[in-house]
Amino acid sequence: MADKKEPRSSKTTTKRPAKKAATKTATTAKKTARKKSPQSAKKRSFGRKLFSIFLKLSLAAVVAMGLYLIYLDAKITRQFEGNKWQLPAQVYARAMSFYPGQFLSSQEVLWELERLNYSSVNKLSRTGQYIKAGDSIKVFRREFEFFDGLESAQVIELRFAGQKLATIKDKFGRRLNSARLEPVQIARIGNDSKQDREFVPLDKFPQMLKDTLLVVEDQKFYEHHGVSVWSIMRALYSNIKAGRTVQGGSTLTQQLAKNIYLTRDRTLIRKFNEALIALILDYRYSKDQILEAYLNEVYLGQSYNQGVHGMGLASEFYFSKPVDELEFDQIALLVAMVKGPSYYNPRRYSERTMERRDLVLRLMVDNKLIDTREYRAALKRPIDVAPMKDSLPKSYPGYLELVDRELKRLLPDQDVLDAGVRVFTYFDLQKQAAMEDAITKSLPYLERRATTEQLEAAMVSVNVDKGGVTALVAGRDPRFLGFNRVLDTKRNIGSLVKPAVYLTALESANYNLATLLDDSPVQVTNEQGKVWQPENFDHQYRGMMPLYKAFSNSINIPAVNLGLDIGVDKVASTLTKLGAKGRIEQYPSLLLGAVEMSSLEVAQLYTTLAADGEYRELTSISALTDSVGKVLYQHQVKSEPRFDKAAAYMTKYAMKRVTKDGTAKRLNAHFPSIQLAGKTGTSNDLRDSWFAGFDQSTVTVAWLGRDDNKSMGLTGSVGALEAYIRYLKPLNPESIADTRPPTIRWAFVNEQTGMQAPPGCGKVIQLPLRATEFEPRPSCQR
């Protein structure tokens, strides 16, 4: 039995190891599988994490890009729809106005047309031209938006009769009651942006300029969406082929984005931002809005420390004419400069600039913007740009200082000033030019004559009717941008005070022009026991003399005696009524001008005298508008009667005698047919030389002296009067034509008695007297 079991046992033994081996193999496989599974899982887990991170980063990038686009969009919208730029305040001179019967010569009109850069032609074809023929001037006036409304371009004919304007007619021969030229822009008061531009609406740019710009810079402007992929690829190919940057791929929209919103750094980030902004601009705004912004933004050169931006300002800067009057070659030149204003600067590199201009002209003819005849004619024209003008703030610094002070008072909000305010002033270019010439020529002449040196000057003119300051020179050098002697130098006014003394007396019924005044030594003792003993300039005394003669010859003692009789306090009150500001010390020395005033303050006093005793506050600004023409301020002339008409009339008569046979009689020698009025003034020790004078329409005050207040050896009748005479010479002064008040009658008066007398009864003179003093049949009292 044992033998039988052994084989089974043996089979069993043989088979079990195989089974065990299989089991072992399976177990090993499972173990191996278990060993490999964690690594696979880790890989799968890592992949999932990586994908998750990538997804999150992508989402974050999309969100960030979205937020950045929102930020860019808000920034672009805010700036594009608000004030895109800080625009300078544009300051204009007075506009030359015309009306029949006006005291105006043809020479004055021609002078103004020249300053406005009008061209003399044989036939009018467009704005900015005129024809002079005989006693008439025909002008094709430019369109201009005044503060009181837009005046379109118009042909007007001015016909003169001597020194007067006889008639005004339009192009159809119809008579006009009035007309005016556009004003000259005298300054652009800049800001901290160091950029200067003149905003011009799109429809005011000539179509030729717009078409030429697009042909040269962006032919597909109205087709692409702000970025042109084809242009970028074409530029990239050209640059790789040339081995350097020879062509740009930026559209006008991209250029605008770069100019307004970005720096000029050449980085990929900047280019990326440029493309994004261009896309936003194109999405948000019409093509015309973008083109208008570009035409007003493009950089086209440098005027001293101010960048010249926009085609409108560039046209004035290079050609001294508005953009709508540009010739084909001038349009081509401006468009040519877009590529590089410094490299193609016509004032420095005329040859290379001409090559570039001619290339643009060829593109114009190739694209049928101009024909072959026009192309050839334009090619023949040389590069002819206007000479570089003085920096505008330096052109008329004294006057602009006055304007600036008034602007800060009228518009204290700086943001309003930076939004393109237009400032209309009373500035008269012809008077200013005459004044500057008078100062620069008279001072060297007087220094040689009086053997003095370091003379300084202040001079100012005022329009009597408006109270508008028309011209101002603040020092020896009219272009010096510094201390303003007209506004800030206060000096003793000397005998300029005397009209206030005599006006005070003439307002009283106790005095008239024939009243005898005492020219005898006088002493005044004050409360402290100090004695004041004034003297006449020539140290002589004349006894009793008529008031008008004491006035016209500026004799001191009669004025002192008169002032003491009527009261120093009343004279001080008269000065205040005439327009003096601040406290006036009521010392007896006031009667001889011991009061300090600036030239502008003196001009205020004499404007009231010239206006027959009516006070009109002086100003330089006639109106202010914003960039779209809305009136922000308009000067309303307020005429306030402050003195008796009869007294003012008699005072003006005495001031006329000053220029006829008094201390300013040299005026009569130079202008024998013109009635002027005025008063000389000299302070103690000949430190200050003054003259204040006026014709029918203009008051002018001249002061000469030294900044160190030393004596200069010049009286008012020698120094300041010389400057005034030189000032009037090139102008067209109008004789004073006063209207006699009904309370005034002319009468013959005996100078020895001061009483009315018939002609032939002693030394008799005809004077204006109050009607209440008039005797129809005076007797001869010797």
Side-chain angles (χ1 to χ4, degrees):
M1 294 196 52
D3 291 337
K4 290 181 179 177
K5 287 182 180 178
E6 283 182 9
R8 283 200 298 269
S9 178
S10 157
K11 286 182 180 177
T12 304
T13 303
T14 303
K15 289 180 179 178
R16 280 181 181 169
K19 192 175 182 181
K20 286 181 180 179
T23 304
K24 186 176 180 181
T25 301
T27 303
T28 303
K30 287 180 181 179
K31 286 181 179 179
T32 303
R34 280 198 298 269
K35 285 180 182 178
K36 289 182 178 180
S37 179
Q39 292 178 2
S40 237
K42 284 180 181 179
K43 286 182 179 181
R44 286 195 299 272
S45 175
F46 178 74
R48 284 195 296 270
K49 287 180 179 178
L50 192 63
F51 178 75
S52 175
I53 291 171
F54 175 76
L55 188 63
K56 289 176 181 178
L57 287 175
S58 298
L59 183 61
V62 170
V63 172
M65 178 58 71
L67 292 173
Y68 185 60
L69 286 172
I70 292 172
Y71 161 76
L72 277 182
D73 181 67
K75 177 183 176 181
I76 293 165
T77 303
R78 182 174 62 253
Q79 186 166 349
F80 201 89
E81 294 179 3
N83 294 326
K84 300 181 187 67
W85 314 284
Q86 287 187 357
L87 297 173
Q90 300 175 59
V91 186
Y92 293 93
R94 62 93 182 92
M96 178 172 273
S97 301
F98 308 114
Y99 57 87
Q102 179 181 3
F103 190 78
L104 181 73
S105 68
S106 59
Q107 288 74 23
E108 290 177 89
V109 177
L110 292 174
W111 194 97
E112 190 82 6
L113 290 171
E114 184 179 342
R115 296 307 178 278
L116 287 164
N117 293 302
Y118 275 66
S119 302
S120 177
V121 296
N122 296 321
K123 183 180 179 181
L124 298 180
S125 60
R126 64 180 184 187
T127 60
Q129 298 177 335
Y130 73 92
I131 300 172
K132 172 73 170 73
D135 60 357
S136 73
I137 302 175
K138 190 175 288 187
V139 183
F140 201 153
R141 188 195 65 191
R142 298 177 180 126
E143 177 183 283
F144 189 81
E145 186 166 5
F146 293 86
F147 63 87
D148 53 357
L150 177 70
E151 289 200 9
S152 58
Q154 182 184 17
V155 174
I156 57 174
E157 182 178 5
L158 309 172
R159 189 169 294 277
F160 297 86
Q163 298 295 300
K164 287 193 174 183
L165 177 60
T167 60
I168 312 168
K169 296 180 180 179
D170 64 12
K171 65 179 180 179
F172 303 109
R174 296 174 299 201
R175 289 178 178 264
L176 301 175
N177 293 325
S178 64
R180 56 184 167 178
L181 297 174
E182 76 276 15
V184 176
Q185 187 179 105
I186 60 170
R188 304 171 67 80
I189 301 177
N191 45 60
D192 296 334
S193 69
K194 300 298 182 184
Q195 295 184 8
D196 192 9
R197 62 176 49 77
E198 183 169 334
F199 179 79
V200 179
L202 184 63
D203 61 350
K204 299 300 181 184
F205 285 104
Q207 190 62 42
M208 182 64 71
L209 174 60
K210 293 182 279 189
D211 292 341
T212 303
L213 178 67
L214 295 182
V215 161
V216 175
E217 293 293 325
D218 193 351
Q219 294 189 27
K220 303 292 184 181
F221 175 73
Y222 281 97
E223 298 173 18
H224 60 64
H225 297 289
V227 177
S228 174
V229 177
W230 168 246
S231 296
I232 294 172
M233 297 303 294
R234 183 182 60 208
L236 183 62
Y237 173 75
S238 299
N239 294 339
I240 292 173
K241 186 177 179 181
R244 58 189 176 88
T245 302
V246 295
Q247 187 175 334
S250 296
T251 63
L252 284 188
T253 314
Q254 287 175 268
Q255 292 180 42
L256 178 64
K258 176 180 67 176
N259 292 340
I260 294 184
Y261 303 103
L262 302 171
T263 65
R264 295 188 176 273
D265 297 336
R266 295 189 175 186
T267 63
L268 288 175
I269 294 177
R270 202 269 294 158
K271 290 295 290 183
F272 177 71
N273 279 327
E274 178 186 297
L276 284 180
I277 295 172
L279 291 169
I280 293 172
L281 284 172
D282 196 82
Y283 173 76
R284 282 284 188 187
Y285 304 103
S286 70
K287 291 291 187 179
D288 284 351
Q289 287 176 299
I290 294 170
L291 182 58
E292 179 184 77
Y294 182 89
L295 287 165
N296 284 286
E297 168 58 30
V298 60
Y299 173 69
L300 287 167
Q302 196 75 14
S303 175
Y304 299 95
N305 67 334
Q306 292 283 334
V308 177
H309 288 260
M311 293 288 183
L313 182 60
S315 178
E316 295 284 353
F317 182 64
Y318 290 109
F319 307 115
S320 297
K321 62 171 67 175
V323 70
D324 59 356
E325 292 179 11
L326 292 176
E327 306 283 353
F328 295 144
D329 64 295
Q330 294 169 335
I331 287 174
L333 179 60
L334 291 185
V335 173
M337 292 176 64
V338 170
K339 186 176 182 181
S342 298
Y343 188 78
Y344 296 110
N345 184 337
R347 292 192 176 100
R348 298 185 63 186
Y349 311 113
S350 58
E351 289 187 10
R352 71 169 67 147
T353 305
M354 181 175 284
E355 289 178 8
R356 175 70 181 168
R357 182 207 68 175
D358 293 348
L359 172 62
V360 174
L361 284 170
R362 188 162 65 251
L363 290 173
M364 291 169 71
V365 72
D366 289 346
N367 287 271
K368 296 181 172 51
L369 299 181
I370 57 177
D371 59 33
T372 305
R373 181 184 57 82
E374 293 167 332
Y375 168 65
R376 288 174 179 168
L379 276 179
K380 290 179 182 178
R381 299 192 66 177
I383 297 291
D384 185 19
V385 294
M388 188 81 160
K389 295 179 181 178
D390 288 336
S391 175
L392 281 176
K394 294 181 180 179
S395 296
Y396 310 106
Y399 192 91
L400 291 176
E401 173 69 17
L402 176 61
V403 171
D404 187 55
R405 294 187 191 187
E406 290 192 35
L407 267 179
K408 289 175 180 176
R409 176 174 57 83
L410 296 172
L411 293 178
D413 188 347
Q414 188 63 40
D415 290 339
V416 177
L417 284 174
D418 288 344
V421 168
R422 303 170 81 214
V423 185
F424 296 88
T425 73
Y426 290 105
F427 185 78
D428 188 312
L429 274 169
Q430 297 188 38
K431 288 184 171 62
Q432 181 71 23
M435 188 176 289
E436 291 179 2
D437 190 62
I439 293 296
T440 55
K441 289 181 178 177
S442 61
L443 294 192
Y445 166 77
L446 291 168
E447 286 173 336
R448 290 193 301 270
R449 177 174 176 175
T451 62
T452 187
E453 58 184 11
Q454 298 179 353
L455 284 182
E456 272 298 347
M459 205 165 180
V460 59
S461 282
V462 176
N463 177 298
V464 176
D465 290 336
K466 305 290 185 181
V469 179
T470 55
L472 188 155
V473 173
R476 184 186 188 106
D477 180 3
R479 297 290 179 267
F480 178 67
L481 186 61
F483 184 68
N484 194 314
R485 291 170 183 81
V486 171
L487 305 181
D488 300 321
T489 291
K490 292 179 179 287
R491 303 291 280 263
N492 279 6
I493 65 173
S495 293
L496 293 190
V497 77
K498 288 176 182 174
V501 176
Y502 288 106
L503 175 59
T504 307
L506 292 171
E507 281 215 296
S508 164
N510 298 325
Y511 298 90
N512 60 45
L513 291 171
T515 301
L516 298 180
L517 301 179
D518 188 11
D519 180 19
S520 302
V522 62
Q523 288 186 353
V524 178
T525 305
N526 65 14
E527 295 176 354
Q528 287 76 35
K530 279 190 174 184
V531 176
W532 179 57
Q533 187 170 350
E535 294 182 336
N536 290 327
F537 182 75
D538 59 4
H539 306 292
Q540 297 181 18
Y541 301 96
R542 299 158 185 81
M544 303 304 290
M545 62 188 309
L547 184 149
Y548 88 90
K549 187 169 283 190
F551 190 156
S552 64
N553 288 287
S554 196
I555 300 173
N556 290 339
I557 300 306
V560 171
N561 283 321
L562 178 62
L564 293 174
D565 285 345
I566 57 179
V568 176
D569 59 331
K570 291 183 179 179
V571 174
S573 175
T574 294
L575 286 170
T576 300
K577 287 165 67 179
L578 285 169
K581 305 292 183 184
R583 178 180 171 81
I584 297 175
E585 298 294 343
Q586 297 176 17
Y587 302 127
S589 57
L590 170 66
L591 303 173
L592 294 182
V595 56
E596 293 185 344
M597 291 187 185
S598 69
S599 300
L600 189 67
E601 289 174 311
V602 173
Q604 179 69 80
L605 307 186
Y606 277 76
T607 300
T608 306
L609 289 169
D612 303 318
E614 294 191 5
Y615 173 80
R616 294 156 192 165
E617 186 173 3
L618 301 191
T619 181
S620 64
I621 297 175
S622 62
L624 300 171
T625 69
D626 62 15
S627 58
V628 296
K630 178 184 176 183
V631 177
L632 303 174
Y633 163 81
Q634 185 172 353
H635 176 226
Q636 302 293 338
V637 181
K638 296 178 181 177
S639 198
E640 181 184 337
R642 291 189 173 182
F643 296 94
D644 173 62
K645 290 290 184 184
Y649 184 85
M650 289 187 285
T651 303
K652 283 181 70 175
Y653 170 80
M655 294 176 73
K656 293 176 190 175
R657 294 301 299 257
V658 170
T659 67
K660 283 293 181 184
D661 49 26
T663 55
K665 61 186 176 184
R666 282 205 296 144
L667 274 172
N668 189 48
H670 287 278
F671 306 97
S673 62
I674 300 172
Q675 178 63 73
L676 302 168
K679 185 70 189 73
T680 56
T682 310
S683 67
N684 287 341
D685 301 322
L686 305 181
R687 291 189 176 96
D688 303 282
S689 173
W690 291 92
F691 183 75
F694 52 91
D695 64 357
Q696 177 65 17
S697 61
T698 304
V699 168
T700 301
V701 173
W703 168 87
L704 301 182
R706 288 170 53 117
D707 285 342
D708 58 12
N709 203 26
K710 291 182 179 179
S711 175
M712 59 174 172
L714 296 172
T715 63
S717 60
V718 174
L721 182 60
E722 177 70 25
Y724 182 70
I725 291 171
R726 289 176 182 262
Y727 166 63
L728 283 189
K729 281 287 186 182
L731 300 177
N732 185 27
E734 182 180 3
S735 266
I736 297 172
D738 288 325
T739 301
R740 179 172 57 85
T743 54
I744 288 289
R745 301 286 297 272
W746 285 87
F748 288 99
V749 177
N750 184 296
E751 289 193 354
Q752 277 76 38
T753 65
M755 306 294 291
Q756 288 187 61
C761 185
K763 193 174 182 180
V764 174
I765 185 173
Q766 193 175 28
L767 295 173
L769 303 178
R770 293 182 185 274
T772 54
E773 302 172 312
F774 182 75
E775 298 178 23
R777 297 180 180 275
S779 60
C780 184
Q781 300 178 4
R782 294 182 183 272

